[in-house]
Amino acid sequence: MTAETIDHSTLSRLVEAGAVEAAHVVGRPGGWSAVIRYGKAERPLAAQRSRQVRVFKRIDTLVSYLRDVGISKFDVDAVDYAPATASRSERAAALRRIHEAAEYDKWFREQVEEAIREADDPNTVWIPHEVVEEEMARQRAELLARLKGEAK
């Protein structure tokens, strides 16, 4: 069961109205979360999309967030804090995927630019679609005939 959370918009309105009584920065595995007390309620800050408890990987990011919202005093509970650790091989694999994606993106953009240059070139010879269809039908028929000949 997911605990009730408070979203950014609601938190901003509560701060504006002076209704926030206390804020707690709570350490947890993988980072830090904020718990806001207002009236008789105490709710953790929610991530925008998932509505799950928002976890900040770095405490300074959470501190900046709270200050930007208008909360500059809060207590910190680091009892359950455990930094997220990725193994050296996991980080290396992630870095490799980033480099591969960047290389593919570069290659893809070059291909698009080349295609645009060819399309804009007045010397480019355009082949009508019907001609291409006829050629493919002829090649398909040849392949099928060869396959039937090999099957005998």
Side-chain angles (χ1 to χ4, degrees), residues 30 57 82-95 97:
K57 291 192 186 304
T85 55
S87 72
R88 188 176 194 95
S89 63
E90 288 171 337
R91 287 191 306 269
L95 195 55
R97 285 191 301 273

Side-chain angles (χ1 to χ4, degrees), residues 68-86:
D68 288 348
V69 171
I71 299 172
S72 56
K73 290 186 178 183
F74 47 85
D75 59 56
V76 177
D77 176 357
V79 172
D80 294 326
Y81 173 70
T85 55

Side-chain angles (χ1 to χ4, degrees), residues 1-2 11 15 19 21-22 24 27 37 45 52 58 68 70 85-87 89 100 109-111 113 121 126 132 139 144:
M1 181 174 148
T2 304
L11 176 58
V15 168
E21 295 174 10
H24 309 287
R37 188 172 67 219
L45 180 66
Q52 300 296 314
R58 297 171 39 144
D68 288 348
T85 55
S87 72
S89 63
E100 288 170 355
R109 289 176 187 278
E110 288 170 354
Q111 296 299 305
E113 287 173 12
D121 184 349
W126 295 94
V132 173
Q139 289 179 10
L144 286 172

Side-chain angles (χ1 to χ4, degrees), residues 140-152:
R140 195 174 309 112
E142 284 178 12
L143 282 171
L144 286 172
R146 283 183 25 207
L147 285 171
K148 287 181 182 176
E150 291 176 8
K152 290 182 182 179

